[in-house]
Amino acid sequence: WSLTGNNGTNSNTNFVGTTNSAALTIRVSNTVAYRIIPVQDPIYGFAPILVGGSGANSVTPDAYGAVIGGGANGLPNVITGTAAYAFIGGGHNNTASGDAATISGGGYNTANGEGVIIGGGQSNFAVGSYTTIGGGDNNSVNGDLSTIGGGLSNIVSGTLSVIGAGYKNIVSNTYDTIAGGYNNIVNGTESNIGGGVINVVASTGIYATIGGGVGNSVSTNSGTISGGSNNTVNGANATVPGGASNLAQGSYSFAAGKQAQALDPGTFVWADSSGTPFTSTANNQFLVRASGGVGIGTNSPAANTLTVGGGGLRVSTSGTTFAEIQAGTASLGTGSGGVTNIYTVTFPTAFSNPPKVIVTTRNDYPTWDVPDTFAVTVRKVFTNTFVVNVFRVDSNAGIGQNLKLDWFAWQ
């Protein structure tokens, strides 16, 4: 062969290579750089082994069709056993020992199973059939058809399970997923953790989900924690949407806020940030602790009070709608006997329209047995005041006590 090229060659008779079963070795700087080793696939026929890079790279003769693309002397890549059609693209100290196993590059990676793929990184270990590690460092897959995308020191030992990335995440069962985060663990089946830190799905968790957060735990089937911190779901189909230190223990229960504890089936518990546990006491309760008030149709409720604005409050679908409600006690003082005494009471807040008013008088001294009896009539109602007539009916002695008028008004 001419160093300046050849003319009139025939590829059937003119070639660079061997005509016997000896391997073809290509050297550069008088050092082995590439080898073509003739091997027969017992089914498909001729399937040479291709070994590039350092002469220390090696492929066992039974690994027909295997390829090593390159690698450095003293840091050999190795294809062992009957790893037919295995591939190591380059890098160093990589080992493939499964049929059609692939290591694209990196260092100290091991692909020990049929169809295993390691994209790169270092010290990754994939065992089983058709498992994948995209890259990263010190990741391990030991379950068929499972995947780690990357990250550091993640472990999958279940079948058909996935860790996307992150650090020290562990999946140990089937059909599970951890997207990322740190030190998350899924031991249940068909369960998921989106991310976060130190979240756990226990081995009793089936179809469980933790979105993220820190220190959350699900230990039952179909339990869900969206996020937050130190939340726990022990009830089947129970939910904690977030917050802190909430517990959904009853089946189909819901706990949110801070230290809400839905202990009973079908309960809904929402607790504010007061800092003490707020606990259900029976099945199918709807409980809210809101020290700043609960507003419906308004964003300025009174403290520890349900305030309804806009459409009003109705007890049932056929009941009366209360648009505004007020109640109070007025001090009427003294009055004359034998005549009608007239008093005016002012509403704390003016109504939009004159309301209906119910009134009753009472003794101001609850421990005294006072026989005084009064007739009282609502005489006139305005939007901001109402007027009552009060007449003593048991005697003509007049009103000598500090008489009270309890009233209730609504519209």
Side-chain angles (χ1 to χ4, degrees), residues 332-343 374 390-393 395-400:
L332 302 185
T334 59
S336 302
V339 297
T340 298
N341 297 275
I342 301 173
Y343 302 95
F374 301 89
V390 179
F391 186 89
R392 183 168 181 174
V393 298
S395 75
N396 292 323
I399 305 172

Side-chain angles (χ1 to χ4, degrees), residues 23-373:
L24 174 65
T25 299
I26 298 175
R27 292 173 174 255
V28 293
S29 189
N30 198 28
T31 302
V32 174
Y34 201 82
R35 287 164 287 161
I36 303 174
I37 304 167
V39 177
Q40 293 289 325
D41 182 325
I43 298 175
Y44 301 109
F46 187 62
I49 294 171
L50 309 179
V51 182
S54 167
N57 294 329
S58 65
V59 179
T60 55
D62 292 334
Y64 41 81
V67 175
I68 295 178
N73 191 27
L75 301 169
N77 294 307
V78 178
I79 296 177
T80 65
T82 58
Y85 304 104
F87 175 84
I88 297 177
H92 61 88
N93 294 99
N94 297 303
T95 301
S97 58
D99 289 351
T102 297
I103 299 175
S104 298
Y108 299 100
N109 297 304
T110 301
N112 186 13
E114 182 178 357
V116 170
I117 297 174
I118 296 177
Q122 67 176 8
S123 301
N124 297 304
F125 185 81
V127 179
S129 299
Y130 309 104
T131 60
T132 300
I133 297 177
D137 185 4
N138 199 36
N139 297 303
S140 175
V141 175
N142 187 14
D144 294 345
L145 302 166
S146 292
T147 298
I148 294 177
L152 173 63
S153 299
N154 298 299
I155 299 173
V156 173
S157 57
T159 303
L160 289 162
S161 294
V162 175
I163 293 178
Y167 177 47
K168 287 189 175 181
N169 297 303
I170 298 175
V171 168
S172 64
N173 218 318
T174 56
Y175 311 110
D176 294 322
T177 300
I178 296 177
Y182 165 62
N183 209 22
N184 298 302
I185 299 174
V186 174
N187 291 327
T189 303
E190 299 181 62
S191 297
N192 306 280
I193 293 178
V197 179
I198 319 176
N199 298 302
V200 177
V201 174
S203 59
T204 51
I206 304 173
Y207 315 119
T209 298
I210 297 176
V214 56
N216 298 303
S217 174
V218 176
S219 60
T220 187
N221 59 303
S222 300
T224 300
I225 297 175
S226 298
S229 62
N230 301 310
N231 298 301
T232 302
V233 169
N234 294 331
N237 301 287
T239 299
V240 173
S245 302
N246 299 298
L247 170 61
Q249 181 171 293
S251 57
Y252 307 100
S253 63
F254 180 99
K258 184 178 181 181
Q259 291 187 287
Q261 297 185 353
L263 305 183
D264 305 283
T267 57
F268 178 107
V269 182
W270 188 90
D272 61 14
S273 60
S274 297
T276 56
F278 183 56
T279 305
S280 67
T281 57
N283 296 350
N284 303 311
Q285 292 179 325
F286 188 98
L287 306 176
V288 175
R289 181 184 69 196
S291 57
V294 177
I296 299 177
T298 177
N299 62 0
S300 55
N304 295 301
T305 302
L306 171 63
T307 303
V308 180
L313 177 66
R314 177 182 288 180
V315 177
S316 67
T317 56
S318 59
T320 301
T321 299
F322 294 89
E324 296 180 67
I325 299 174
Q326 295 184 49
T329 299
S331 295
L332 302 185
T334 59
S336 302
V339 297
T340 298
N341 297 275
I342 301 173
Y343 302 95
T344 298
V345 178
T346 301
F347 296 122
T349 303
F351 285 87
S352 56
N353 294 294
K356 298 177 177 66
V357 180
I358 297 174
V359 296
T360 184
T361 57
R362 66 175 171 85
N363 170 26
D364 190 34
Y365 307 103
T367 61
W368 292 9
D369 184 15
V370 179
D372 299 1
T373 304

